[in-house]
Every structure is written in structure tokens, then in C-alpha cells.
Amino acid sequence: MFNQIFVPFLVEEGLLTKEQGKEILEQQKHARIRMGVLAVEEKMMTKENADHVNRLQALHNARFGDIAVARGYLTADQVDILLSKQAREHIVLKQLITDKGYITGDKFDLALGTLKTALGVSYDDFVLLQDRDVEAFMHIIADMDSTDTVLWEYIKLFVNTTIRFVDREIRIGKAYTASNIKFKHTVWQRSSGETDGEFTFVLATNDTSAACNFGSAYGKVPIDAMDEDGQDAVKEFLNCVGGLLTADLENKQVKSLMIDVPEYQKDHVLSQSLTIIPITLSFGDFYLTVIDPTKANPVNKKRFIMVDDSKIARHLLKTIVEDAGHEVIAEASNGLDGYDKYRALKPDFITLDVTMPILNGIECLKMILNANDAANVIMVTSVGKDSLVAEAMKIGAKAVIVKPIEKSEVLSKINALL
């Protein structure tokens, strides 16, 4: 799961091309980390000692661990630890990328640190993400609340069961709220219980090929249409998840939970209050959609474009507005790109950093208002640029957000314009 986030990040940062990223993701499915690389990464050996063992290994056709122990470079216990870690995704990825000469080891490590900063997570949580900890992904990436036992356990079991039986190259996206969404294929599973909430879980996709591939992967039989066989395969998968959930919650003393038999619906509109968790598999996109009848309808969702040459600033703003139930449809790192995306996508709101390369925020503001004098433009600026702020407001900006970015200020400015 970690590499499905990190590789696109490397592409976005310009460290890999799209073609290289696709190649690396495919190859890492079957790759194993070399023991010497892992020993150096874990700081159990120096690179010089690891290279020495590699040379001896080539000469004597012996295992790396056996030679390293014989030479006193590693203990037997250390070898066992390294063997248990040979499948660590990010180290496999580093080996593949550096072997091909796409990125140096130092640049790879620097990019890891940049991703950690962008995600805004602690060191310990970042390690959990690298170790493919499902709950860490649910909490950090999907931004889900673990206090709702049924919802949390269902999604955890869904992801684990997908990894085990369908596709280990799974990527979880950030959860968001919505309503009135039509999906081409939906499989429903309802739960109810006296002691812990009622939910309807819906596995949905608009990709027929992806739906067939999901059923084929789980049922181990070729499926080329969402006919009765195709539907049964996906329903049986959810039936398995529901059965695991019932047993798991019974052990946690939530004994009154009932799981209904899954049902399939085609071209169906989900109109209730929805929580949607994007799930990307190697063969297509899915949406694990949760209907909670106890929640109110979502906010009047607006579409945003974030324009700032600081990726961190864009990430902070995006997190705040998406947590409030809105949608960020595009980002840009300079005013010219921001203007082009505004004209193409016609968002409800656009945020502009005042100081940017190629075209600054003031000039971009003028161009946007020339195209649409009613545009909702929010300027973002650092402290001490009062004259630029005054100029932007005079030109027609609707609000100004001052860095460092504070959630309460951002939401206050946005809500005042809704």
C-alpha cells in the first residue's frame, strides 16, 4: 500500500517519469530486497562489509546470512530479523529505483522525508505506513475515526480480505462525504445491531472491467460480464467480509450485530448521506461507500482549486476544506497554470497565493475576474504584505487568508462566502 502512495509522489515531484513509475510499481510486486541492502538500511552492517559479503557470496555460492555470521558481521538473531523484513515495500522500492539509476539513495531518502512532512505524521506513524499497517492507513490516509467500532472493523476487514484474496496492490484514498451519486455497479451489505449502529456498506464501481476482474480474482474463475456469475463472485466476497466482521465483533462483546445477505444493483443512485472511501486496485477504481442513517445530510459541497507554489501550503488548505466536506478538484504551483485550470474547470472557489513564479497572485486575480467578474477568489499571503492584500481586495478578491494557515480562519472565511 505504501508504494502506491510513494511512487505517484515521486512522479509528482519530478523524480520519476510516469513510465518509470508504472514500470517500478509492476516490478515491485515480485521483487525481494537483497539481504545486504536491507542490512545496511537497518544499520546492522556497513556498506563496505555488505559489499565484501556479496563478493564472497558470488565466489562461494553460499547464502548471504551464513557468510555474514561466519565473518562476524551479523549474529544469527540479526539474520532472522532481516529475513522477517525482506518484504518491506519501501526498501524493495529503493533497491529497484537505485539499481536502475533513476534516483540516488540520498534523493530517495530525502523524498521519503518530504512525503512524511506533506502527510503531517509522526515518525512512528510513518514507520507504520511503510510497514503496511492497515489501521495506520485508515487513520492517516483515509482520515477515519476508530471510535465507531462497526465501521472501523468492517473497513479494516474489507482491506485485509482484499489484500489476502483479491489484490495486494491496494491503495486507500481519503474518505469524503457526498450524496446523490450514481454508480454503474453496486453490491450492498446491510448491518444492524442493538448495541452499535446500523450501516449499509456498498462496494461500487463505474468500471465494468474492474468489477469483472474483482470477481475473477476472488472466485478464481474467468468472469467477463457482470451477469449472475459475476454478481455472485463479488457478493460472496462481501459475504466473507460480513462473516468475519460478525465473528470479530462477537469476540469484542458486540453480540447483537446482524449482517444481511449482499445484493447487487446496476445503475443505481445513492442518495443518502454517504461516506466514501476510494479504493484503487491494480485493475481499477472502486468506492467503499458507507450509508449511516444517523448522520445528517452533508454540507453544501463546493469545488475548489488551490494555487500556491508551496506544496505544503496546498496540502494544508486541501485537508481543511476536504475535512469540511468540500472537494478540491485541482491544484497548481503558479498563477498561469492556476488561471488555465480555473477557465477549464470553473470551480466554485479558487485560492491564490500572492507571491508565485511565472504569474503572481495579483496578476492571476485580474485575469480570473476579467473572465468572470463574480469569481470567488480567496487570496493567501504571508504576514507583512498589507499593501498587496489591500490591492487584491480593491481589485475584487472576496477574502484573504494569512499564513501560517489556521483551520479556524480558513473555515471562517469560506463559510462567510457560502
Side-chain angles (χ1 to χ4, degrees):
M1 291 187 288
F2 180 78
N3 286 353
Q4 276 62 44
I5 292 176
F6 190 38
V7 171
F9 179 79
L10 292 173
V11 172
E12 183 180 340
E13 291 291 300
L15 295 172
L16 292 178
T17 66
K18 289 183 179 179
E19 292 73 20
Q20 289 170 341
K22 184 176 180 181
E23 171 196 8
I24 289 294
L25 279 176
E26 182 61 32
Q27 291 185 2
Q28 61 96 38
K29 295 178 183 178
H30 313 290
R32 282 177 63 84
I33 192 71
R34 292 192 297 272
M35 182 76 81
V37 174
L38 184 57
V40 173
E41 193 74 21
E42 294 293 312
K43 297 182 172 54
M44 293 183 183
M45 292 179 69
T46 65
K47 187 175 186 304
E48 291 73 20
N49 288 344
D51 289 342
H52 182 212
V53 174
N54 283 330
R55 290 193 296 271
L56 293 174
Q57 188 180 17
L59 290 171
H60 301 292
N61 192 29
R63 292 187 301 181
F64 183 98
D66 292 342
I67 297 174
V69 171
R71 292 278 169 169
Y73 295 143
L74 292 174
T75 67
D77 287 343
Q78 286 177 317
V79 170
D80 288 341
I81 291 171
L82 292 174
L83 288 171
S84 71
K85 293 185 175 183
Q86 271 197 311
R88 294 188 76 189
E89 284 188 295
H90 73 288
I91 304 179
V92 173
L93 184 70
K94 183 176 182 178
Q95 175 180 281
L96 285 170
I97 288 176
T98 54
D99 281 354
K100 290 179 177 294
Y102 293 158
I103 303 175
T104 65
D106 288 343
K107 284 189 176 181
F108 185 96
D109 293 339
L110 183 61
L112 268 179
T114 304
L115 176 62
K116 174 184 171 297
T117 301
L119 294 175
V121 299
S122 68
Y123 174 81
D124 289 342
D125 281 345
F126 196 60
V127 170
L128 289 175
L129 289 177
Q130 292 175 46
D131 286 341
R132 299 176 65 195
D133 183 282
V134 171
E135 295 197 17
F137 273 85
M138 290 166 58
H139 174 65
I140 297 168
I141 305 302
D143 193 22
M144 296 184 57
D145 183 1
S146 62
T147 60
D148 202 327
T149 307
V150 173
L151 180 59
W152 180 268
E153 293 299 325
Y154 185 95
I155 294 170
K156 182 177 71 174
L157 286 167
F158 177 92
V159 173
N160 279 326
T161 307
T162 301
I163 292 171
R164 184 178 177 187
F165 294 112
V166 179
D167 187 1
R168 66 185 295 268
E169 306 303 322
I170 186 172
R171 178 177 177 181
I172 307 172
K174 185 176 179 63
Y176 60 94
T177 58
S179 61
N180 296 314
I181 296 181
K182 183 177 181 178
F183 289 110
K184 190 167 186 177
H185 303 285
T186 58
V187 181
W188 297 59
Q189 186 168 49
R190 295 178 176 86
S191 73
S192 60
E194 297 175 3
T195 60
D196 203 343
E198 297 184 358
F199 297 94
T200 299
F201 302 98
V202 186
L203 178 59
T205 184
N206 290 312
D207 185 339
T208 299
S209 176
C212 292
N213 285 332
F214 194 105
S216 296
Y218 182 70
K220 311 303 180 189
V221 293
I223 292 174
D224 53 17
M226 284 307 289
D227 52 16
E228 185 175 350
D229 289 341
Q231 296 168 27
D232 282 348
V234 181
K235 286 192 291 185
E236 185 55 34
F237 171 85
L238 288 187
N239 211 28
C240 175
V241 175
L244 291 171
L245 178 67
T246 301
D248 186 55
L249 293 183
E250 184 173 344
N251 292 333
K252 292 180 170 64
Q253 309 305 312
V254 186
K255 297 182 179 180
S256 60
L257 186 74
M258 299 293 293
I259 302 288
D260 292 347
V261 175
E263 57 184 270
Y264 170 86
Q265 288 182 286
K266 185 177 181 181
D267 295 326
H268 187 75
V269 176
L270 303 178
S271 58
Q272 301 95 325
S273 174
L274 311 172
T275 298
I276 299 177
I277 302 100
I279 302 285
T280 300
L281 303 181
S282 60
F283 46 76
D285 295 329
F286 294 82
Y287 304 88
L288 184 54
T289 304
V290 182
I291 302 172
D292 181 355
T294 65
K295 290 186 177 180
N297 288 329
V299 299
N300 180 18
K301 184 168 74 172
K302 299 298 183 182
R303 300 160 68 249
F304 283 74
I305 292 177
M306 305 300 185
V307 187
D308 199 306
D309 59 335
S310 166
K311 183 173 181 177
I312 300 299
R314 297 199 309 270
H315 172 76
L316 290 172
L317 282 170
K318 181 178 180 181
T319 298
I320 291 169
V321 301
E322 288 184 338
D323 283 350
H326 304 296
E327 179 184 11
V328 176
I329 58 174
E331 299 180 36
S333 59
N334 65 75
L336 184 59
D337 189 24
Y339 172 72
D340 289 341
K341 287 178 177 175
Y342 180 87
R343 291 293 304 273
L345 300 175
K346 298 178 175 58
D348 300 302
F349 289 89
I350 184 169
T351 67
L352 299 177
D353 185 27
V354 171
T355 306
M356 290 186 290
I358 303 178
L359 187 71
N360 67 38
I362 299 295
E363 293 303 317
C364 183
L365 170 66
K366 292 176 182 177
M367 293 173 65
I368 288 173
L369 291 176
N370 281 336
N372 176 14
D373 59 7
N376 289 312
V377 182
I378 301 175
M379 306 304 293
V380 182
T381 183
S382 301
V383 174
K385 297 183 180 179
D386 294 345
S387 61
L388 293 175
V389 170
E391 182 182 358
M393 296 301 288
K394 183 177 180 180
I395 293 170
K398 296 293 179 66
V400 175
I401 295 169
V402 179
K403 296 178 180 179
I405 294 168
E406 296 287 345
K407 181 176 181 178
S408 58
E409 181 194 9
V410 174
L411 294 181
S412 173
K413 297 293 176 64
I414 292 174
N415 290 336
L417 297 173
L418 293 178

